[in-house]
Amino acid sequence: MTRTDWMSIAMVMLVIALPTHGQEVPISASASNVEATSLTIDLPACKRDMKAWKAFSPWAYLRKEGDSEATVARLTRHWKREDAVDVTWVDIDGDGWCDAITSGYKEPYKNAKGKPVLLFQPRAIYLRTSQGFKPFLGNRITGEYEGRSFTIYWDTQSHSAVIFTRVYQGNAVGGIGEGSDEFHLRQMLRASFAAHKAGRADEENDYYVEVESFLYTTLQIPRAISKRIWAEEAQRAGVDLEFPFLD
């Protein structure tokens, strides 16, 4: 499957894929390698263009004829208070520069060691370009992702970020090809089980809910594979937790 610049909003395919120049290698769905994927939780280091970010205002893209500088400044202050309370720096398009993902609240898991970057309050994505920062989705630039969560991985094949996004209403989440859903399930369970063992109940649930829908439906991951991943990760974490859904 060729990955292009798209974002599907179908209820079973909710992933943002950034532009790449390659193709995904077909992966067999056999039990031995069904989790094979080029995704990793290790995001590459990137350079932050803080000068350009400090000078950036999304309202330059929504400015209407006749808007005064005072109006733009007021709207920018509102944006910073409501939609840019926190910023997660990630090289999304693989150019070596950090792009910005803004959040409406402080993100507790954006720097979790040994775990994927997980954002609960993302609002917008801004790509750093040679002309400064620009919205990823054109003129839809503030509050675009409200009501969703982001889990960010790095694709070692395309050298770009892959963002799994879960829609809170309906608890819908999905992937981009064979192996990606399984990888996401494994990483979220791994983080959830580690939190369970450490007695951090809220954190345990925060990671678990990201993939709960995978466990009670076979539309994306066959039940046998979900149960096997669950058992492997529970054993790895040393926790006695049974698969939560009956066949």
Side-chain angles (χ1 to χ4, degrees):
M1 177 182 71
T2 302
R3 194 180 306 161
T4 55
D5 185 355
W6 59 271
M7 183 178 70
S8 171
I9 58 172
M11 294 302 285
V12 295
M13 188 68 81
L14 298 162
V15 171
I16 301 169
L18 273 293
T20 70
H21 301 287
Q23 291 185 332
E24 290 183 299
V25 176
I27 301 171
S28 168
S30 65
S32 63
N33 70 351
V34 72
E35 292 94 37
T37 177
S38 57
L39 302 184
T40 175
I41 67 172
D42 299 319
L43 305 183
C46 55
K47 297 175 289 185
R48 297 185 188 181
D49 190 345
M50 297 308 298
K51 181 179 180 180
W53 181 249
K54 290 178 180 178
F56 172 71
S57 169
W59 291 100
Y61 293 86
L62 291 182
R63 188 171 187 170
K64 298 178 181 178
E65 186 176 355
D67 282 349
S68 66
E69 292 298 328
T71 297
V72 173
R74 175 176 57 80
L75 293 173
T76 300
R77 288 194 297 271
H78 178 79
W79 168 69
K80 289 181 179 180
R81 289 195 305 267
E82 299 295 326
D83 292 324
V85 175
D86 201 359
V87 180
T88 301
W89 298 101
V90 177
D91 182 8
I92 295 176
D93 52 5
D95 64 355
W97 287 96
C98 297
D99 305 299
I101 302 175
T102 56
S103 294
Y105 296 88
K106 288 291 183 181
E107 296 286 2
Y109 304 123
K110 71 176 188 178
N111 294 316
K113 187 176 181 180
K115 302 173 184 176
V117 172
L118 174 60
L119 307 179
F120 282 135
Q121 302 292 339
R123 292 294 187 267
I125 300 172
Y126 304 99
L127 300 181
R128 188 271 179 191
T129 73
S130 57
Q131 291 79 42
F133 284 88
K134 293 184 177 181
F136 173 56
L137 289 181
N139 289 334
R140 296 180 293 169
I141 59 175
T142 60
E144 179 64 24
Y145 302 110
E146 190 168 3
R148 304 186 183 196
S149 64
F150 282 1
T151 305
I152 307 172
Y153 300 110
W154 183 254
D155 190 323
T156 59
Q157 183 176 340
S158 67
H159 301 290
S160 63
V162 172
I163 304 177
F164 279 65
T165 177
R166 179 174 67 89
V167 177
Y168 297 154
Q169 185 176 4
N171 195 28
V173 64
I176 56 171
E178 291 180 272
S180 62
D181 283 347
E182 291 86 348
F183 178 84
H184 183 51
L185 173 61
R186 186 178 292 279
Q187 295 303 323
M188 293 294 101
L189 289 180
R190 186 168 293 183
S192 180
F193 292 164
H196 175 85
K197 189 172 184 180
R200 299 190 295 269
D202 289 343
E203 180 180 337
E204 175 188 1
N205 182 71
D206 286 343
Y207 282 102
Y208 171 79
V209 74
E210 292 299 308
V211 289
E212 183 182 23
S213 63
F214 286 162
L215 305 177
Y216 58 73
T217 178
T218 59
L219 293 176
Q220 292 158 268
I221 304 177
R223 182 60 56 84
I225 294 174
S226 294
K227 292 181 71 174
R228 175 169 61 81
I229 293 174
W230 179 284
E232 290 173 353
E233 292 305 323
Q235 182 180 29
R236 179 181 184 276
V239 297
D240 185 18
L241 294 172
E242 295 185 357
F243 191 79
F245 297 98
L246 299 175
D247 291 324

